[in-house]
Amino acid sequence: MRDAYHEELDSLSDKLVEMTRLVRSAMARAVTALLDADVRLSEEVISGDELVNKIDAEIEETVFDLMARQQPVAGDLRTLITALRMSGDLERMGDLAVHIARTARRRHPESAVPPELQATVLEMGQIAERMIAKTGSVIASQDVEMGLELDADDDQMDRLHRRLFDMLLSPKWKHGVEPAVDITLAGRYFERFADHAVHVAENVVYLVTGQRPEEMTDT
């Protein structure tokens, strides 16, 4: 019985890593759709989110079932609680990729991103992909040091987010209100995506050490 129990605990990590893989793919395709006005890719991202939601529901069901049947304490309880939190963050990251894909679909056949902003948006997409890839590695390896690195990646995303706003507010902006709204929302989606990746990594740090990253730096 205990072996089966620990197999179920291990399966949570496997499912979380699978969610990171799916979310990374969704974000990569959403960014391409946004920049290239590729409506086919947009539709793939939107329909593919069902699988992310399905795994999220499976994790939630497993966690509640194990809590009810096994009444876990200490480390096992921490594993279940952090799995639930991480799954929620990853599900929302999938939703953010969908939001980006919907922006691309809404503006089709035009690109939602003016030429002078394409390089910045592409870089934001690359950082998002790097962060979710790193998040998957952190979950699989429970590498605390790698988990703490995501803060630096988040800082890069924040800088690019501010750069977008600077360009939107520049007197040189000549694309009107609708593209400005699209870019504002897309920038926010990227920024929130990065925040959720950091949250996932912070939960891995807590799972391994019993401390939040801010508690570790204060000591």
Side-chain angles (χ1 to χ4, degrees):
M1 286 292 292
R2 298 301 295 178
D3 286 345
Y5 167 55
H6 284 102
E7 284 178 10
E8 288 184 276
L9 285 177
D10 291 341
S11 77
L12 292 174
S13 178
D14 294 339
K15 287 181 177 179
L16 289 166
V17 171
E18 175 66 6
M19 287 181 79
T20 68
R21 187 189 68 78
L22 292 169
V23 170
R24 181 183 183 185
S25 175
M27 177 54 79
R29 288 178 293 163
V31 172
T32 300
L34 187 68
L35 295 172
D36 296 348
D38 190 326
V39 73
R40 180 187 61 82
L41 279 180
S42 297
E43 297 292 354
E44 286 181 6
V45 173
I46 294 165
S47 62
D49 192 51
E50 290 183 10
L51 182 53
V52 176
N53 294 340
K54 179 176 180 289
I55 298 175
D56 177 48
E58 289 173 354
I59 289 173
E60 182 177 302
E61 183 179 355
T62 299
V63 167
F64 290 149
D65 179 63
L66 290 174
M67 283 183 171
R69 287 191 293 109
Q70 303 292 340
Q71 298 181 341
V73 295
D76 288 350
L77 182 60
R78 197 156 68 214
T79 296
L80 294 175
I81 291 171
T82 54
L84 204 56
R85 289 173 175 167
M86 289 188 280
S87 180
D89 276 312
L90 292 167
E91 189 274 333
R92 285 187 284 277
M93 293 170 81
D95 288 344
L96 291 164
V98 167
H99 292 332
I100 292 171
R102 284 179 174 154
T103 299
R105 184 177 67 177
R106 187 168 60 251
R107 291 292 167 234
H108 183 267
E110 303 297 325
S111 172
V113 184
E116 63 267 35
L117 294 182
Q118 292 231 346
T120 300
V121 170
L122 176 60
E123 190 174 355
M124 293 178 85
Q126 290 170 340
I127 291 173
E129 281 189 65
R130 184 167 73 241
M131 290 185 75
I132 188 60
K134 193 176 290 186
T135 299
S137 296
V138 169
I139 293 171
S141 65
Q142 296 192 354
D143 186 327
V144 169
E145 291 303 316
M146 188 187 300
L148 295 172
E149 290 173 7
L150 268 85
D151 261 337
D153 295 320
D154 188 40
D155 289 342
Q156 290 183 44
M157 185 71 86
D158 289 340
R159 282 193 294 271
L160 291 171
H161 191 210
R162 288 192 295 272
R163 185 193 300 174
L164 274 188
F165 269 95
D166 289 343
M167 298 175 78
L168 290 171
L169 296 173
S170 168
K172 297 179 181 179
W173 180 258
K174 59 181 185 296
H175 301 286
V177 173
E178 284 191 340
V181 171
D182 287 338
I183 296 300
T184 299
L185 290 174
R188 179 61 173 161
Y189 299 148
F190 284 121
E191 192 257 344
R192 289 300 300 148
F193 188 95
D195 286 346
H196 284 299
V198 171
H199 292 166
V200 174
E202 287 175 345
N203 274 292
V204 175
V205 172
Y206 174 68
L207 173 63
V208 174
T209 68
Q211 290 182 298
R212 295 292 176 186
E214 61 271 19
E215 297 171 339
M216 297 171 67
T217 55
D218 289 343
T219 56

